[in-house]
Amino acid sequence: MNLLQNWTRTFLVGMFCYCCLPLSSLASPLPLKEATALSNHSCTLSKNNFQRTYIMNRTKTLAKQARLFDKDTDNRFIGEHLYININKNDRCYLMKRVTDIVVTNALSELKNQSASVQDVTNFLVHLNVELRHCKPLGHTEHIESNLKKMKDKLNQLGENGKNKAVGELDLLFDYLENACTKTLKKPHNRERGHKKQ
């Protein structure tokens, strides 16, 4: 009887190992490194931020007004060139940094000039506050390199660079939305009104 019980126990344990363990490995969670690589939840904004008609209209109007003073039609700050060598999961972080550059180097000096500038500046600052925990998932060398090119070009163009940065606020709005919201829109339709770099 003891021999039969031992054999039965061994048989059941063996069947469990043979049948169930391979399935349990399929159901186990991803290792932390892989799971992190798939998404970055701190780099997500609500779609509602971009669906407020008032702020959309203010942004477009401000950009349109600034383009009237932009004498440089050869360069572009906001565009697909920013994404060269950038992992898709790091695009929101990149656009957060671009937003900070535009606010700090262009909008902050104009902030007291009109209610439109104030509203758009506050909106962009609010988005950056929401993204305060957004960090890059991979190496940052390409991100920093692309941002440095943008800052260098902005400084090189001087006053006209500020006009250009404000004139591309509608593009910045689109790129931020596309990079930082879960449901991606179709390619940037507003890009057609701007000459490419």
Side-chain angles (χ1 to χ4, degrees):
M1 185 76 172
N2 201 9
L3 183 63
L4 182 61
Q5 283 178 336
N6 282 344
W7 184 85
T8 305
R9 204 173 289 146
T10 305
F11 176 78
L12 290 175
V13 169
M15 285 303 291
F16 174 80
C17 291
Y18 180 77
C19 296
C20 298
L21 285 180
L23 293 175
S24 70
S25 71
L26 290 175
S28 69
L30 288 170
L32 185 60
K33 192 173 179 183
E34 267 183 56
T36 310
L38 294 178
S39 65
N40 192 350
H41 298 297
S42 59
C43 293
T44 304
L45 292 169
S46 167
K47 196 91 170 149
N48 293 338
N49 286 312
F50 300 93
Q51 293 175 337
R52 292 163 33 201
T53 308
Y54 173 78
I55 202 67
M56 283 171 62
N57 290 341
R58 289 255 161 155
T59 305
K60 283 185 204 173
T61 303
L62 193 56
K64 192 174 180 181
Q65 289 169 348
R67 280 197 294 273
L68 296 174
F69 300 99
D70 181 8
K71 297 172 178 47
D72 177 3
T73 55
D74 296 327
N75 293 294
R76 164 91 61 82
F77 291 131
I78 313 295
E80 288 296 317
H81 63 278
L82 283 171
Y83 292 156
I84 293 171
N85 297 318
I86 306 297
N87 184 308
K88 196 170 184 181
N89 289 329
D90 286 335
R91 288 181 177 184
C92 183
Y93 172 77
L94 173 72
M95 293 315 301
K96 173 185 104 162
R97 296 279 307 278
V98 168
T99 302
D100 186 52
I101 291 169
V102 171
V103 168
T104 305
N105 296 290
L107 286 173
S108 62
E109 292 182 23
L110 307 171
K111 206 163 126 179
N112 299 322
Q113 287 189 11
S114 73
S116 291
V117 177
Q118 182 79 46
D119 289 344
V120 173
T121 303
N122 290 342
F123 169 72
L124 293 174
V125 168
H126 167 74
L127 295 185
N128 264 17
V129 168
E130 283 195 30
L131 293 170
R132 66 191 171 278
H133 299 299
C134 179
K135 303 285 184 226
L137 294 172
H139 297 292
T140 60
E141 59 200 63
H142 293 301
I143 294 172
E144 295 304 327
S145 170
N146 292 356
L147 291 170
K148 186 179 182 317
K149 285 177 193 168
M150 180 186 172
K151 282 192 265 190
D152 289 348
K153 183 61 74 176
L154 187 61
N155 291 333
Q156 181 189 332
L157 293 173
E159 200 57 39
N160 198 53
K162 292 171 190 173
N163 288 332
K164 177 171 288 299
V166 176
E168 293 183 4
L169 283 171
D170 53 341
L171 291 178
L172 178 61
F173 186 96
D174 281 349
Y175 272 79
L176 257 175
E177 180 180 6
N178 287 329
C180 300
T181 58
K182 286 181 183 174
T183 311
L184 297 180
K185 299 191 324 179
K186 289 185 178 177
H188 321 287
N189 296 333
R190 293 183 194 138
E191 238 179 276
R192 288 184 302 217
H194 298 266
K195 250 191 173 177
K196 289 193 177 175
Q197 189 178 30

